[in-house]
Amino acid sequence: MELISLGLLFLWHAFLKHVPLYLHNQSDGIVSKELVINSSSSEVVIALLEDKNLVELNKEKNNTSFAVGDIYLGRVKKIMPGLNAAFIDVGYEKDAFLHYLDLGHQFRSLDKYLKQALDSRIKTVQVSKFQLEPDIDKNGKIQHVLTEGQSILVQVAKEPISTKGPRLASEISIAGRNLVLIPFTDKISISQKIQDSEERDRLRKLIQSIKPKNYGVIVRTVAESRRVADLDAELRELVQKWEGAFASLKNKPPRLVLGELNRTTAILRDMLNNQFNNVYINDKILFNETRDYIRAIAPEREKIIKLYNRSQPIFEYFGLEKQIKALFGKTVAIQKGAYLVIEHTEALHVIDVNSGNRSQSESNQEENAIDVNLVAAYEISRQLRLRDMGGIIVIDFIDMHDPENKQKLYDKMREFMSSDRAKHHILPLSKFGLMQITRQRVRPEMTIQTIERCPSCNGSGEVTPSILFVNELENHIRWTLQKYRYKKVVLKLHPYVAAYLTKGFFSICFRWRLKYLRRLTIRPSGSNAYLEYQFYDGKGDRIFI
């Protein structure tokens, strides 16, 4: 019995050792949030998980620019009176768009302050001592405010999407962890999500007492119950950030004046709360930067930042590759055979809800319809966040006749969408059973091609004899090692092929190592097709052959 118990204990220990980290430390009844960050030489991919389910996916190119929140010194390129707008040169290949309504009421004050900062003969004064100009007319014309060739301070409101350049605004705001600073106004706004009237009054009076003149402040939800010392320190930091940007400002548009945080720290700044359990990062430099940022804004949460240093790719280890392939296709399966069909057009997105092979007898057709629709509503709310779908979304739910079921579906949809940070508006079901949603679009929609051309036949339907595959693979290995002279090469293959090449002590892989005297590692990859393979160097960067 003791031997059996020891054997079971050993097996249990071995099981726990190989169970992914994301299966441990589950908390009951609370939505746990985790970030998994995959950093490579070309981009950073950020996955947000709620209860282990992928709900948001962000990709940030390492050479990206024109992110939402970036502040630029631009030049007015062209005035368009018919559109009551102007095109601004901010250094992007296509001119950015600025509408009159996005200038902001205090544009004249911003413009006057900018001209003083650009004039080397005039010493820039602090905003708190600056004499504000009158507001612009909300029904005015763009040509009465701007002239071609004029230097202008703008902030990116929407990233470049499709063939369009960035969308701009001149009502500048600088976001912090608890506060958002808005120069040239004295307005104080409190987040609507702070519902306690006493706490709202406390925050309003507190900000009024520490706020410099000519600065407006938006108090964010996370500021609830914060001490005055914390808010005062952050407010001073934001003011210093704003005025420091003007200290060395020169009239050489276009140029970046203030850059937004990278996508990782911006997500943590906006979303970090007690529900965040872990942040896993596979890059040492990004890990240190993120940990330092968390240490500055929430030192008690520093331990949630964890460095991932296993040999297996981080997305494969956390099961995200499979989720991505399953969730980004045209057809998305939900529960009990039901599925969604998602179509994208230039003007809108269309989602069709299908019950699939779910039984629907006449006696319970209404019950089946509401069951499928409620499950579909949850998945649709997830898909909107995951793909970052913006603009108009039209959903064709399964027909229902009971008004109570229609109202229930509408209420549930609003509940599911309440966690979406993008601004949105939901309309009740129309008489045709359609639900319409508008959702803010500030970045290009996330699209991932899930249907791939066969890498073995390249779409022709014919492949070379599989008996020759090993010879072909060895030729590529020899050519790669001779050309690049890497000391270590990692070869990723389908698990079946990888098992064949590494089978036994004197395996094919072992013989290749002896033959070429290099550190050749074969790594199985579930995302590879049957006869597909890729080469990587010791740093994990792809080698293209």
Side-chain angles (χ1 to χ4, degrees):
M1 288 296 292
E2 291 182 1
L3 289 175
I4 294 174
S5 300
L6 286 172
L8 290 174
L9 184 62
F10 174 78
L11 289 173
W12 178 246
H13 175 75
F15 170 74
L16 289 179
K17 184 178 180 181
H18 292 89
V19 169
L21 296 172
Y22 62 88
L23 293 182
H24 295 290
N25 301 326
Q26 294 193 27
S27 55
D28 297 330
I30 300 175
V31 176
S32 64
K33 294 183 179 180
E34 294 174 314
L35 276 185
V36 180
I37 302 169
N38 182 22
S39 177
S40 65
S41 58
S42 60
E43 65 181 5
V44 177
V45 185
I46 307 163
L48 173 63
L49 281 67
E50 291 183 357
D51 287 339
K52 318 309 173 190
N53 294 318
L54 181 64
V55 294
E56 286 188 25
L57 191 67
N58 293 277
K59 287 190 177 183
E60 183 178 25
K61 298 288 184 183
N62 287 339
N63 60 351
T64 189
S65 56
F66 307 100
V68 173
D70 286 350
I71 300 174
Y72 282 85
L73 177 64
R75 182 177 65 252
V76 179
K77 195 76 173 289
K78 191 173 183 181
I79 304 291
M80 304 292 291
L83 299 174
N84 204 17
F87 286 100
I88 313 295
D89 178 17
V90 291
Y92 189 67
E93 55 187 334
K94 290 186 176 292
D95 292 333
F97 184 80
L98 175 66
H99 194 272
Y100 180 85
L101 297 177
D102 294 322
L103 287 174
H105 298 302
Q106 289 291 340
F107 177 76
R108 286 197 177 94
S109 298
L110 173 64
D111 186 50
K112 178 182 175 182
Y113 191 82
L114 177 63
K115 288 177 179 177
Q116 290 185 6
L118 295 175
D119 192 340
S120 58
R121 298 169 299 175
I122 302 177
K123 184 179 179 180
T124 305
V125 300
Q126 296 178 346
V127 174
S128 57
K129 299 177 181 178
F130 183 75
Q131 182 64 41
L132 296 182
E133 295 291 310
D135 291 356
I136 63 173
D137 182 5
K138 64 180 181 179
N139 297 317
K141 302 295 183 183
I142 192 84
Q143 61 269 29
H144 298 157
V145 181
L146 298 180
T147 57
E148 292 186 5
Q150 174 183 344
S151 295
I152 182 173
L153 201 70
V154 289
Q155 187 168 32
V156 177
K158 287 185 180 181
E159 293 179 8
I161 297 175
S162 185
T163 59
K164 300 176 182 177
R167 177 77 181 259
L168 305 176
S170 275
E171 192 168 14
I172 310 296
S173 62
I174 305 175
R177 167 73 173 148
N178 302 289
L179 307 172
V180 178
L181 184 71
I182 306 176
F184 308 112
T185 179
D186 281 304
K187 186 177 180 182
I188 298 175
S189 301
I190 310 294
S191 169
Q192 295 294 328
K193 293 183 179 179
I194 301 177
Q195 299 180 351
D196 188 341
S197 58
E198 292 185 2
E199 177 63 10
R200 293 177 65 88
D201 291 340
R202 183 189 78 89
L203 289 170
R204 190 180 300 278
K205 292 176 182 178
L206 189 156
I207 297 299
Q208 188 64 54
S209 65
I210 63 175
K211 179 185 71 68
K213 185 181 177 184
N214 296 337
Y215 280 108
V217 174
I218 299 174
V219 180
R220 309 183 74 171
T221 308
V222 291
E224 189 172 7
S225 303
R226 291 284 182 182
R227 298 181 305 163
V228 61
D230 296 335
L231 298 179
D232 182 54
E234 181 172 313
L235 185 59
R236 290 175 183 272
E237 182 182 343
L238 293 175
V239 170
Q240 185 179 3
K241 185 177 180 181
W242 166 258
E243 297 189 346
F246 282 85
S248 58
L249 192 62
K250 296 180 181 179
N251 190 9
K252 292 182 180 179
R255 64 187 297 265
L256 178 67
V257 177
L258 275 177
E260 175 63 295
L261 298 170
N262 63 52
R263 193 70 59 85
T264 306
T265 48
I267 289 175
L268 287 172
R269 178 195 66 195
D270 296 341
M271 298 184 61
L272 185 65
N273 54 35
N274 292 331
Q275 294 178 345
F276 255 100
N277 292 2
N278 300 294
V279 179
Y280 298 104
I281 306 174
N282 68 341
D283 181 78
K284 187 72 176 289
I285 296 175
L286 185 58
F287 165 77
N288 290 329
E289 291 176 355
T290 307
R291 185 179 58 179
D292 292 343
Y293 178 73
I294 293 297
R295 189 181 293 160
I297 67 169
E300 70 281 0
R301 307 303 312 281
E302 180 185 345
K303 292 182 179 179
I304 70 172
I305 311 298
K306 298 176 180 178
L307 179 64
Y308 177 88
N309 52 14
R310 295 172 182 260
S311 59
Q312 186 178 5
I314 187 170
F315 271 20
E316 286 189 17
Y317 182 78
F318 287 94
L320 293 176
E321 288 287 356
K322 185 176 181 180
Q323 288 198 52
I324 290 171
K325 293 290 185 182
L327 293 171
F328 275 92
K330 175 182 175 181
T331 302
V332 179
I334 44 180
Q335 293 182 10
K336 298 180 181 179
Y339 61 95
L340 307 176
V341 178
I342 303 176
E343 297 276 6
H344 308 283
T345 71
E346 187 69 23
L348 49 80
H349 309 276
V350 181
I351 302 176
D352 184 30
V353 180
N354 290 276
S355 58
N357 56 12
R358 184 184 174 102
S359 62
Q360 290 194 2
S361 61
E362 293 184 4
S363 60
N364 62 0
Q365 184 175 355
E366 183 77 11
E367 182 181 342
N368 283 331
I370 185 62
D371 287 346
V372 172
N373 285 340
L374 290 177
V375 173
Y378 171 77
E379 183 60 36
I380 289 168
S381 68
R382 178 187 178 193
Q383 287 287 330
L384 297 185
R385 294 174 62 189
L386 186 60
R387 305 187 187 209
D388 204 6
M389 294 162 60
I392 301 173
I393 300 104
V394 178
I395 307 166
D396 183 11
F397 283 105
I398 298 173
D399 290 339
M400 298 180 296
H401 303 288
D402 190 339
E404 291 185 3
N405 285 337
K406 293 181 179 180
Q407 183 63 37
K408 182 179 180 181
L409 177 61
Y410 172 66
D411 294 339
K412 280 293 183 181
M413 194 69 191
R414 295 184 61 184
E415 178 186 332
F416 295 147
M417 292 283 289
S418 61
S419 58
D420 193 339
R421 290 177 292 134
K423 294 179 182 177
H424 58 271
H425 183 66
I426 306 172
L427 294 180
L429 287 170
S430 70
K431 63 180 180 179
F432 298 116
L434 302 177
M435 179 178 288
Q436 300 172 65
I437 300 176
T438 59
R439 188 175 182 273
Q440 182 186 28
R441 172 164 45 186
V442 296
R443 296 185 180 92
E445 179 192 345
M446 175 66 67
T447 55
I448 294 178
Q449 189 68 30
T450 57
I451 299 176
E452 303 170 352
R453 173 176 287 189
C454 174
S456 303
C457 68
N458 202 26
S460 66
E462 298 177 349
V463 296
T464 56
S466 56
I467 196 172
L468 301 178
F469 174 74
V470 175
N471 295 336
E472 175 192 335
L473 182 58
E474 184 180 359
N475 289 335
H476 281 158
I477 291 173
R478 181 175 61 252
W479 182 85
T480 302
L481 295 177
Q482 290 175 349
K483 180 178 180 180
Y484 295 103
R485 310 297 298 176
Y486 288 116
K487 293 182 179 179
K488 179 181 179 181
V489 172
V490 177
L491 177 59
K492 288 188 179 180
L493 295 146
H494 188 277
Y496 290 168
V497 181
Y500 172 74
L501 295 175
T502 56
K503 180 182 179 182
F505 174 75
F506 203 63
S507 64
I508 296 174
C509 178
F510 182 76
R511 279 179 277 168
W512 285 343
R513 289 175 189 158
L514 293 178
K515 185 176 181 179
Y516 300 109
L517 299 178
R518 300 291 177 84
R519 292 174 59 193
L520 176 65
T521 302
I522 290 182
R523 188 170 294 161
S525 173
S527 59
N528 277 45
Y530 186 55
L531 297 180
E532 181 185 15
Y533 54 89
Q534 299 100 19
F535 292 94
Y536 294 83
D537 62 19
K539 297 179 181 179
D541 293 329
R542 176 84 179 271
I543 302 172
F544 292 93
I545 59 175

